Amino acid sequence: MNRSRAVAVALIALSFASVANARTVYRCVRDGTVSLSTAPEPGSRCTARQIEDNAASVPNLFGTGEAVSGVLYERVQDGKTVYGTRKLPGSVKVLSFTVPAPPGEPAHEGLGRVSPPRLDRYPKQFRAASKATGVDEAWLRAIAHAESDYDAMAVSAKGAQGVMQLMPETSREYGVVDPFSQDESIMAGARHLRALMRRYRNDMTLVAAAYNAGIGTVTRYGGVPPYAETQAYVAKVKALYGNYRAALDKPLAKSRAKALTSP
């Protein structure tokens, strides 16, 4: 993915204003790629655009509907400090950032928060789904916790439903009749995770990203989409997985210790 296309204009304007107090931004085109800069880029065709102080009113200077991640670079040009989104010779990285997913993308942060494990929620269903699919129960619970906080009736702003927050098309793919049935939702979520694990060869970072933003989005960006929602979600799931792995291991450790000390 071209880095210069990976920037939200509003954030760029805020970044420029904070580090350079700039009000003129140059839209520069080179080899079919677009970048923004506080001065014309050497070797690019640049057009000056005046930016109002109110960042919320900044137009999309890239001319695309994408809102993705970006990097802001600093360089010295003609004796002046210049900031831009294209890495030119002599540029130094100032900051990187993520921005909200564009409208219509399934990416979401999830309804749950990182909080203590809740092993009392649907224990039979999670054990059964884990046994049937081979997916680690800790992963199933981490996803459910992050997605719905175990609320079987949860509906997200994106339209995801149930404990595992499956989108309607995903529910249909796995034969779900009632998306608000904890039994059906958990089993379908486990089957979906198993399919993702096979696709991504057990790379659980990509599995979590695809569960959140969709396979097509992960493919398009060649990895975890740079959307703020997805990156927050992946971090949350990883943290919850560690918590659940530890919580599920405790009873096993006690059982083993008891067996070893039994006459």
Side-chain angles (χ1 to χ4, degrees):
M1 181 186 65
N2 186 293
R3 289 182 177 179
S4 66
R5 289 176 59 84
V7 183
V9 174
L11 184 52
I12 286 298
L14 287 172
S15 300
F16 284 172
S18 63
V19 298
N21 194 33
R23 292 294 177 264
T24 299
V25 173
Y26 291 85
R27 182 181 188 274
C28 299
V29 180
R30 178 192 298 185
D31 298 326
T33 63
V34 180
S35 63
L36 300 182
S37 178
T38 56
E41 291 179 355
S44 299
R45 186 177 71 257
C46 300
T47 304
R49 295 291 298 272
Q50 296 300 313
I51 303 299
E52 297 181 6
D53 290 345
N54 179 8
S57 66
V58 174
N60 187 335
L61 299 184
F62 285 101
T64 71
E66 290 190 73
V68 291
S69 68
V71 177
L72 187 67
Y73 297 98
E74 177 183 299
R75 66 183 189 275
V76 176
Q77 181 175 309
D78 298 329
K80 296 181 180 179
T81 300
V82 176
Y83 296 88
T85 63
R86 192 191 303 278
K87 187 176 182 180
L88 297 175
S91 295
V92 177
K93 179 180 175 180
V94 176
L95 56 84
S96 58
F97 47 83
T98 55
V99 296
E105 291 283 349
H108 58 284
E109 189 173 339
L111 303 176
R113 296 289 180 267
V114 177
S115 56
R118 301 174 63 188
L119 297 180
D120 60 318
R121 304 300 292 164
Y122 315 122
K124 293 181 179 179
Q125 289 87 342
F126 279 106
R127 282 197 297 269
S130 177
K131 184 177 180 180
T133 62
V135 177
D136 187 353
E137 183 179 342
W139 274 114
L140 290 177
R141 286 190 170 277
I143 294 290
H145 191 141
E147 287 283 354
S148 71
D149 200 23
Y150 294 108
D151 182 356
M153 303 305 294
V155 178
S156 76
K158 300 286 187 175
Q161 302 168 317
V163 175
M164 302 301 288
Q165 287 290 278
L166 299 173
M167 296 296 285
E169 56 269 27
T170 304
S171 290
R172 288 192 294 270
E173 179 182 350
Y174 292 102
V176 173
V177 176
D178 179 5
F180 301 108
S181 162
Q182 58 264 33
D183 298 69
E184 291 192 62
S185 182
I186 292 170
M187 186 60 74
R191 291 174 62 197
H192 186 44
L193 280 170
R194 180 181 62 184
L196 293 174
M197 289 168 67
R198 287 174 176 171
R199 172 182 285 270
Y200 297 113
R201 299 181 181 180
N202 294 324
D203 184 330
M204 299 308 291
T205 296
L206 294 181
V207 168
Y211 196 100
N212 175 265
I215 293 171
T217 308
V218 171
T219 300
R220 186 162 73 248
Y221 290 105
V224 179
Y227 305 147
E229 295 90 338
T230 300
Q231 297 199 357
Y233 175 89
V234 170
K236 183 194 304 181
V237 168
K238 286 184 174 181
L240 286 167
Y241 170 71
N243 293 344
Y244 275 103
R245 184 68 275 160
L248 289 166
D249 281 345
K250 284 182 181 178
L252 290 176
K254 289 182 179 179
S255 177
R256 290 167 184 160
K258 184 176 181 181
L260 289 174
T261 57
S262 297

